[in-house]
């Protein structure tokens, strides 16, 4: 795990994103931010707040409500020498520009035989738990991870949020930084310095000896809670924060499972067809002889995200569901 | 640039140049009837006998004005179609009723949200009441509408009942969507309300599809989509408008231009002043109307809806309006993107208050009636909120129901 | 496997689709076809050819090139009493209307508490192998299968193409019928009568005792070829055509694996994040104790579909790759 | 309704009504200069001395006309800007060269596809040559374009070399995209050609993004997107046009209206005749130009491009044109969606042949020069095809290269 080298301070996830973006705007003259209400309002989630005053209106651009044009702006500007930071307010709205993402952004370099370089960073906000109902709560990262040509990172902590934003914006490829709503207020140590969290490297956030929980985004924190509970059942669970789902740090995951012999994958996205299927399939393929139990999975049930608080509470994956799934799989 | 209230309806979409290569059928926007101010004159059409829907129903709540079937539409239509006579008292009272119901509901709902009693986010319709009301006055339950994230007003004007609406906002099982939709997806199929929509620009393609269906099935029903100035920049609006015009569908595109998309002023999201300017590009009439004047909206909507029912195709109606509260909730996030002066200028044009003043003037309404009217409305609201609060939440077992039709 | 009850005739996949659509237009007054070049041209793939003459221009509608409006037309018309058959010419273009698919079509019923019914059938053409390059060759079914509220079927044979089109159009839910380009000319027995192939039922197309190949769409035929080759290696492979990926016939797959103890999943879509991950994850989860080897997967490599014939040939999954993967997994 | 060739350029987007509430900056489309026919008069500007790029280069192929840097633009610009003098001989010859190169390349490529020698599908540009040529005459390598599925002509006019183009169509490693893109993705970044595009409507947002970049980086470069009448119904066009106008980007939207989207006639895909009518809805000028008249295109494009370079924002230029072959390939699928008469009427307006007749008339070209010009072009084509055929296919190991940048 990367360590803060100096000035350890505890700041929020949302403030960490701001710091990451600020670092890039300072560092890269050709970087700018474009999206709905990113400049004047500093994003409805607040993570660009203050940057307009700091960098001026030639670096942050409020756009019309036109996701296709916003993503197209990123593609065209990146292909011609800029380093756009594109904001898609809610991840649900990425559906509006999946053509630009899939057929242009992800493929242009390949189709052009390597002649185009597309350093586009896309920030977008996923996740439920805030009673925002079916169209403002989705986790659609599995779509993106299935697309050759893009990278997809999902920070769970303030430290990773800052470091991954910086790494994404320095990367010469399209990188989606999939943020999480319920994480916005999470606090953690974040150095003031500018640093990268390398894309494609997972992180062992809790070491353990006989169970591996592979967690995506905010589920990392639920997994840690679950691990604490599992300790009472005699399980010493290791928790891995995948951080990047494309590329995926398969090696680290397999190393852990070879040690622990059992694994569970958890994400907030709908379980069926989620990235957990890919991870579980890889684990059983590459660590088959090491497995003492089937790779378990926890994800959202097969329904849209309901509005009603009681239903949404039932819907959301959490520590209790992880523990229940572990117990079921291990029959303990 | 301060946003100023507008005064009069205008018809856009016509052009000065003779355009030889252009089919005349797709040009020459209809003349807007919205210019005629009918207030004050208010000649009564013959068939005004219809019972006042503002009367309390058995359950003690004011009967929802839109709850009429196609058969009872004639009075409203007469009111619209005659150029020389104004609308009937019944129409005037219904327009008022719709506006007042929206205003009161929204203020109550906004308060409940700010107090943390309603979960999630509410986008309030206060300020824009004249738009939904003037348009819905022409529609029956069989006509469809699609709404926006700011959808309560549309549903109320279409006949939505307070108890089921509050229950939905609270996330209760007795809500219109069993608590699964909430404010942003509130809907009622039997009222022809095809949903509020959390996706900006989500409505137009769906309304266009409903209009297609109306025509395909051989009915004379129309579909109306409401959308904002901000939404007019979404590709979905463009595609739906083009297709509706191509197929001459009974679809009315109603742009509620309140000058802002979230915290971004219109001048910072499009290089035009009138969204109605886009109509010509689809070969349909584009009309600008004062959205703070319910009679102007009512007249312009009547024209567009009649045209659609006649089979002459869609129209784009732009209502200049304003939201009195913030983008979300009442107080919002505390951003200062609108000036106090601007807000004041628009509040002076308050559609509900000015219409009430006119009704009092005309003698269609008296101070006393108004007082008792609001008293009854307050009681109805209180009862509805009580109903919603007392209603149970859905059972967790209902989570996986309604994903698929099993029939 | 459903059996043709009478008049066995051999017709092509493309003709079978036509028969399915014809049956529906005859049967359902409120059914119509809408899409780009579906009426006058009978689709660029030819599967509506003749239907305009037969049913008239009130049943088949050429639309503008406006995928969002096309899908929206389906949603709005279905919600108000029609049974639209919506055509999205190439599956790649579904990216243009993923909002209408994801946020409207898939969720409307749920968000409305069950009050809306959306009998929309979407026909769309997937797959490579015809030198159509990166934007006209994709298999994106994994996106759809991840969306609660829609069903997804993928016929591999003329028989299933007709039967699944009919079943889809009779279903009161949104159903995607994902067709395959290289399958268009495949011939097979198709009864003249109107019949359904039930949605959600897989099909054992070749029985076997000690290996299970779970195949999606055209890969079924490659799997059968591979099975023939594997026989020479002492493997008696059972081939399952999943036919429907949402819902998935997990029970049939597990039954087979419990018998054979080994399995491979194959699809043409990019392997990473494809539906094969979900299937493999389910197999190891539900048949863990029966497995003698890891569940293997074959899919396209992690790149956009290349244009050049030699590269595309290298790209496409096929029987040889299945055999190679089996040998690698079993070390034979 | 038979589709008739048009004759003259028109400016759309102005309206008769005084529109008080509308900012004047966004209205009042620029006056089109395209109405002036410059043929025949052809006064020479002073600085015509530029060497003829039509001369053979060392390698025996005609030098590609667009291969000029920003510095050498002056002659072309002078030709455009002076209302009283026509363009120079050099400009006239370059326009001809571009058109002839496209025509010949496409006929050869089409033949190779029909013979099964080129894999996949080609969408041929024959008939539309005047559009790409008239516009590209104003651009340097630093100006960007986005193209369509029908992209060869755009690349040729922008300076694309035949050998690398044929090699790409054949899927060879020596192709512009190393064989990975093929006809529908042919591109060359150093020529500012940001790709043919298999997605209808794929280009406009990208060109708008390039124009944004040009402005952001403080250059005077422009970005031009080409798209069809069919593509004008995609949401992507709408969103890109609105955004370009809002930010006053140096972006030119060029609609090549050939009357059909695949097999669907314009009247069956939109209820307007002039796509340029949509410009007013974005607050930009809309100009209709005869796309079979390269001089008219050249003039109108000059106006729009100058405007963009001046920082005055985007324009929509609609060129009425026609494709002489089928949607795909030459013979196509054998559908009868266009009448022989219609095809004939348009073929009589053949932009290349009529321009050649004019050049002969003017004495800028002689019959003899023309004969040797075509002979040389044929030789160049033959050599290019030979190069392409002789080139190796990419090695299978290259499959996974170029997915990501590793730098
Ligand atoms: C596709 C999409 N993009 C962005 C948003 C976020 N959003 C919600 S409301 C809104 C502003 C809409 O403005 P307008 O259409 O003018 O409606 P108003 O809020 O003014 O009624 C935005 C950007 C969204 N819900 N959907
Ligand atoms: C998003 C998308 N939808 C549909 C298609 C299929 N398609 C390819 S070309 C074409 C017609 C395009 O018409 P137009 O824009 O007028 O260009 P033209 O072919 O006439 O040059 C269509 C529908 C596509 N490639 N992309
Ligand atoms: Mg607004
Ligand atoms: Mg065309």
């Amino acid at each position: 795990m990367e360590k803060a080298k100096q000035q350890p301070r505890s700041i929020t996830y949302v403030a960490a994103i701001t710091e990451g973006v600020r670092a890039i705007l300072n560092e890269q003259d050709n970087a700018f931010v474009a999206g709905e209400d990113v400049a004047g309002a500093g994003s409805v989630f607040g993570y660009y707040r203050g940057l307009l005053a700091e960098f001026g209106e030639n670096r942050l651009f409020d756009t019309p409500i036109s996701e296709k044009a916003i993503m197209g702006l990123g593609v065209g500007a990146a292909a011609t020498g800029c380093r756009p930071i594109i904001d898609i307010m809610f991840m649900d709205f990425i559906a509006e520009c999946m053509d630009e993402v899939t057929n242009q952004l992800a493929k242009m370099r390949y189709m052009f035989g390597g002649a185009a370089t597309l350093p586009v960073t896309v920030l977008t906000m996923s996740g439920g738990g805030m009673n925002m109902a079916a169209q403002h709560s989705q986790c659609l990262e599995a779509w993106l991870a299935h697309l050759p040509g893009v990278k997809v990172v999902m920070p769970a902590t303030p430290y990773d949020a800052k470091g991954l934003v910086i790494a994404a914006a320095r990367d010469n490829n399209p990188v989606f930084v999939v943020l999480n709503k319920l994480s916005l207020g999470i606090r953690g140590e974040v150095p003031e310095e500018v640093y990268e969290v390398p894309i494609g490297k997972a992180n062992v956030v809790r070491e353990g000896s006989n169970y591996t929980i592979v967690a995506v985004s905010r589920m990392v924190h639920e997994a840690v809670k679950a691990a604490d509970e599992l300790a009472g059942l005699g399980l010493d669970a290791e928790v891995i924060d995948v951080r990047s789902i494309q590329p995926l740090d398969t090696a680290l995951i397999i190393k852990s499972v070879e040690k622990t012999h059992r694994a569970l994958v958890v994400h907030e996205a709908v379980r069926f067809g989620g990235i957990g299927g890919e991870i579980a399939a890889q684990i059983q393929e590459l660590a088959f002889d090491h497995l003492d139990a089937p790779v378990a999975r926890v994800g959202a049930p097969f329904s849209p995200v309901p509005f009603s608080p009681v239903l949404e509470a039932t819907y959301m994956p959490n520590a209790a569901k992880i523990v229940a799934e572990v117990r079921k799989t291990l029959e303990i | 640039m301060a946003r100023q209230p507008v005064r009069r309806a205008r018809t856009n979409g016509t052009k000065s140049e003779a355009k030889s290569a252009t089919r005349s059928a797709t040009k020459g926007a209809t003349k807007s009837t919205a210019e005629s101010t009918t207030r004050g004159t208010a000649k009564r059409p013959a068939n005004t006998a219809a019972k006042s829907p503002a009367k309390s129903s058995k359950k003690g709540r004011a009967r929802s004005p839109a709850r009429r079937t196609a058969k009872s539409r004639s009075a409203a239509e007469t009111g619209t179609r005659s150029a020389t006579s104004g609308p009937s008292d019944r129409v005037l009272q219904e327009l008022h009723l719709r506006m007042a119901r929206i205003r009161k509901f929204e203020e109550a709902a906004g308060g409940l949200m700010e107090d943390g009693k309603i979960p999630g986010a509410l986008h309030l319709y206060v300020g824009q009441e004249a738009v939904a009301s003037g348009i819905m006055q022409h529609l029956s339950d069989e006509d469809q509408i699609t709404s926006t994230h700011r959808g309560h007003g549309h549903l109320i004007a279409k006949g939505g009942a307070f108890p089921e609406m509050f229950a939905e906002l609270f996330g209760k099982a007795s809500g219109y969507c069993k608590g699964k939709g909430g404010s942003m997806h509130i809907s009622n199929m039997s009222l022809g309300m095809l949903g509020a929509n959390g996706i900006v620009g989500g409505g137009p393609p769906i309304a266009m599809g409903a209009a297609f269906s109306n025509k395909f099935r051989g009915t004379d029903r129309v579909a109306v989509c409401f959308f904002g100035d901000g939404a007019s920049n979404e590709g979905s609006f463009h595609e739906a408008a083009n297709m509706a015009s191509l197929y001459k569908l009974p679809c009315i595109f109603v742009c509620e231009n309140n000058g802002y998309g979230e915290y971004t002023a219109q001048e910072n999201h499009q290089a035009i002043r009138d969204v109605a300017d886009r109509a010509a590009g689809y070969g349909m009439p584009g009309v600008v109307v004062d959205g703070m004047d319910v009679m102007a909206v009512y007249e312009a909507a009547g024209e567009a809806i009649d045209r659609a029912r006649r089979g002459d195709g869609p129209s784009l109606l732009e209502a200049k309006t304003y939201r009195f509260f913030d983008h979300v909730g009442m107080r919002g996030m505390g951003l200062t993107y609108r000036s106090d002066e601007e807000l004041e200028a628009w509040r002076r044009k308050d559609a509900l208050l000015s219409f009430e003043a006119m009704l009092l003037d005309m003698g269609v309404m008296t101070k006393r009636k108004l007082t008792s009217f609001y008293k009854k409305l307050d009681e109805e609201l209180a009862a509805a909120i009580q109903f919603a609060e007392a209603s149970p939440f859905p059972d967790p077992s209902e989570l996986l129901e309604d994903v698929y039709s099993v029939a």
Side-chain angles (χ1 to χ4, degrees), chain A residues 140-259:
Chain A
L140 298 171
E141 65 273 5
W143 288 0
L144 302 173
H146 190 40
L147 288 178
V150 303
K151 300 182 180 181
V152 187
V153 299
M154 303 183 70
T157 64
Y159 183 92
D160 286 350
K162 177 171 173 181
L164 284 171
V165 164
I166 291 170
R170 286 179 177 170
D171 199 293
N172 277 335
N173 293 287
V175 184
F176 286 80
V177 184
V178 180
L179 306 165
N180 177 270
K181 281 182 211 86
L182 276 189
S183 304
L184 287 168
I186 291 180
R187 291 187 160 272
E189 279 192 11
V190 175
E192 277 180 34
E193 73 196 55
V194 175
Y195 62 92
E196 281 186 36
V197 168
I199 295 172
K201 293 283 170 223
N203 189 22
V204 177
V205 296
R206 182 190 200 277
E207 291 197 16
S209 61
N210 60 10
Y211 202 87
T212 298
I213 305 179
V214 181
V216 178
S217 189
R218 193 177 60 80
M219 286 301 122
V220 169
H221 309 297
E222 296 294 320
V224 170
K225 270 189 244 167
D228 292 345
E229 264 193 66
L230 290 172
L233 296 168
L235 281 178
D236 177 26
E238 179 147 304
V239 177
I240 295 177
D241 177 354
V242 295
R243 297 201 292 199
S244 163
I245 61 167
Q246 186 57 262
L248 182 71
D249 193 352
T250 304
L252 188 89
I253 296 168
I254 297 302
K255 213 179 97 198
S256 174
V257 175
E258 283 173 357
K259 174 176 71 176

Side-chain angles (χ1 to χ4, degrees), chain A residues 68 92-100 102-104 106-107 110-111 134-135 138-150 245-248 250 267 269-278 280-282 284-286 288-289 291-297 301-307 311 315 325 328:
Chain A
K68 293 171 72 67
D92 314 70
F93 310 159
I94 215 138
E96 292 280 12
C97 54
M98 276 308 278
D99 175 67
E100 284 67 27
T102 306
N103 291 320
Q104 316 296 344
K107 296 181 175 48
Y110 190 80
M111 295 188 304
Q135 294 173 339
Q138 290 168 91
C139 299
L140 298 171
E141 65 273 5
W143 288 0
L144 302 173
H146 190 40
L147 288 178
V150 303
I245 61 167
Q246 186 57 262
L248 182 71
T250 304
H267 52 59
V270 165
R271 185 185 131 126
F272 191 104
I275 194 69
E278 177 65 34
Q282 289 198 19
Q284 65 84 36
E285 184 180 356
L286 300 168
F288 187 76
D289 292 333
L291 281 176
D292 288 344
V295 183
R297 285 185 295 155
F302 205 64
S303 85
V305 183
F307 164 68
L311 293 181
Y315 177 91
E325 193 67 22
K328 197 183 96 186

Side-chain angles (χ1 to χ4, degrees), chain B residues 265-289:
Chain B
Q266 189 195 0
E267 61 187 1
N268 294 324
H269 73 62
Q270 53 193 198
I272 52 172
R273 201 47 171 314
D274 296 334
V275 174
D277 283 2
R278 296 194 166 161
Y282 309 111
M284 63 170 86
V287 176
V288 177
V289 70

Side-chain angles (χ1 to χ4, degrees), chain B residues 118-391:
Chain B
I118 285 179
L122 302 187
H123 303 87
L124 302 171
Y125 196 69
V126 173
Q128 307 184 195
E129 296 91 344
V131 189
S133 302
I135 286 160
M136 248 58 96
Q137 187 64 31
H138 298 280
L139 305 182
S140 82
D141 291 357
E142 284 84 44
D143 296 308
Q144 306 96 352
I145 64 165
T146 60
S147 173
T148 66
H149 54 288
R150 202 174 299 290
H152 311 162
H154 303 129
L155 177 51
I156 293 167
K158 196 106 192 356
F162 287 174
E164 289 81 353
M165 286 187 67
F166 274 118
E168 189 57 36
L169 302 193
F170 277 93
K172 298 301 181 75
S174 56
Y176 267 138
C177 307
K178 303 183 189 166
K180 284 176 174 162
S183 166
M184 274 198 286
H185 309 294
I186 199 160
S187 56
N188 187 282
M189 297 300 285
S190 50
L191 292 172
M193 160 51 165
L194 307 187
N197 210 311
I199 297 297
V200 169
I206 299 173
M208 183 274 295
F212 182 96
S213 167
N214 292 338
K215 185 167 179 174
F216 179 85
R217 292 177 295 119
T219 73
D220 74 338
R221 302 295 92 206
V222 302
V224 179
C225 61
F226 294 88
F227 60 99
D229 50 306
S232 73
N233 299 325
E234 284 280 10
S236 55
F237 158 69
H238 175 74
E239 296 190 7
N242 181 68
M243 202 179 275
S245 184
L246 174 68
Y247 295 145
K248 284 200 173 219
L249 300 182
C251 193
I252 295 93
F253 294 84
V254 178
C255 180
E256 298 189 65
N257 183 347
N258 60 11
Y260 294 85
E262 285 191 353
Y263 314 100
T264 300
Q266 189 195 0
E267 61 187 1
N268 294 324
H269 73 62
Q270 53 193 198
I272 52 172
R273 201 47 171 314
D274 296 334
V275 174
D277 283 2
R278 296 194 166 161
Y282 309 111
M284 63 170 86
V287 176
V288 177
V289 70
D290 181 353
M292 305 308 272
D293 178 346
V294 70
M295 291 309 303
V297 174
Y298 173 73
E299 294 284 335
E303 185 81 2
I305 291 167
D306 285 353
R307 179 184 154 87
R309 287 203 209 281
R310 279 196 312 267
D312 291 342
S315 305
L316 172 54
L317 190 63
E318 177 186 11
K320 305 285 194 188
T321 183
Y322 204 76
R323 57 172 156 73
F324 287 177
F325 294 132
D326 210 325
H327 172 63
V328 179
M330 298 170 107
R331 293 184 303 259
M333 305 202 302
L335 297 167
T336 51
Y337 60 102
R338 305 192 302 185
S339 70
D340 291 347
E341 299 74 50
E342 181 180 295
L343 181 56
E344 255 326 295
W346 282 92
R347 273 205 181 266
R348 275 194 296 274
K349 283 198 45 114
D350 187 310
L352 175 62
L353 298 186
S354 60
F355 191 59
E356 273 176 5
M358 187 187 103
L359 293 187
L360 291 169
D361 230 42
M362 287 170 70
V364 175
M365 184 60 86
T366 65
K367 285 237 155 146
R368 226 178 38 149
K369 272 206 256 175
L370 209 57
T371 308
S372 89
F373 167 85
Y374 277 115
K375 192 163 160 278
K376 224 172 273 165
L377 201 50
D378 284 341
E379 286 164 13
E380 185 188 339
L381 276 165
I385 293 167
Q386 205 176 22
F387 167 84
E389 286 188 316
S391 289

